Amino acid sequence: LEDAAADSVELSMRSLRESSCFGPEVQDRQTQTSWLGILRGVPADDTAANAAIDALSLQLQEDNWTLVEEYGTPDVEIGQVRLVYLEQDQVNLRLIHERGYPDKVEVLASTGCYDHPQDHRMQRSRMDPEYGTSSQEYPDGA
């Protein structure tokens, strides 16, 4: 995906994380999990942000992703300017242009919740902000 937007915005991986689908009140939180990945880049301006989202959306649709929804609020000064929502199988993608300090383009990829056996342990990827930290739900981060 980074390549599809590279002419307009350089995207880099910011986070990849497996998380429980249950709240903290559930004891065996590891038995149902999902994944969230985030790519992020800083556009030079609105034109670059829109070009990146257009290129990503086109590439994904050519790769059989289904366009679910697209909307924009171009007059917003701070906040979400544009959202393109796509899905394929159990993966959802949101392509977002947001104005802020700084402006950003994000690709958020998330899976649905998957059931796991009782002995499943969630994994921390190297891109997980808490990589290397052990807990009851995650084996040691090594």
Side-chain angles (χ1 to χ4, degrees):
L1 284 178
E2 294 98 328
D3 292 342
D7 289 339
S8 305
V9 176
E10 184 178 331
L11 297 173
S12 61
M13 181 64 102
R14 293 305 175 122
S15 176
L16 179 60
R17 179 180 201 141
E18 181 182 20
S19 299
S20 177
C21 295
F22 297 122
E25 69 281 357
V26 174
Q27 183 176 1
D28 295 322
R29 294 172 31 103
Q30 79 284 355
T31 61
Q32 193 177 82
T33 67
S34 66
W35 283 85
L36 174 66
I38 301 172
L39 296 171
R40 184 177 298 142
V42 176
D45 53 28
D46 286 351
T47 300
N50 284 316
I53 289 176
D54 289 342
L56 287 165
S57 180
L58 179 63
Q59 178 64 52
L60 289 161
Q61 290 177 67
E62 288 175 359
D63 291 339
N64 297 315
W65 286 79
T66 301
L67 177 64
V68 176
E69 184 176 9
E70 180 171 357
Y71 68 88
T73 51
D75 296 333
V76 70
E77 290 184 31
I78 300 293
Q80 194 174 83
V81 178
R82 184 172 178 202
L83 170 78
V84 176
Y85 179 76
L86 303 111
E87 63 184 12
Q88 185 181 72
D89 300 322
Q90 288 286 321
V91 180
N92 304 305
L93 283 178
R94 291 172 303 255
L95 313 177
I96 300 168
H97 170 212
E98 186 173 299
R99 287 190 188 124
Y101 303 102
D103 291 357
K104 62 185 171 184
V105 170
E106 284 188 329
V107 178
L108 303 175
S110 59
T111 68
C113 292
Y114 292 97
D115 292 327
H116 302 287
Q118 185 74 25
D119 63 348
H120 175 74
R121 291 293 172 246
M122 293 188 285
Q123 299 296 308
R124 292 197 195 275
S125 77
R126 291 189 186 275
M127 293 304 302
D128 185 325
E130 295 181 32
Y131 180 75
T133 304
S134 297
S135 76
Q136 179 181 357
E137 296 161 341
Y138 294 90
D140 90 47

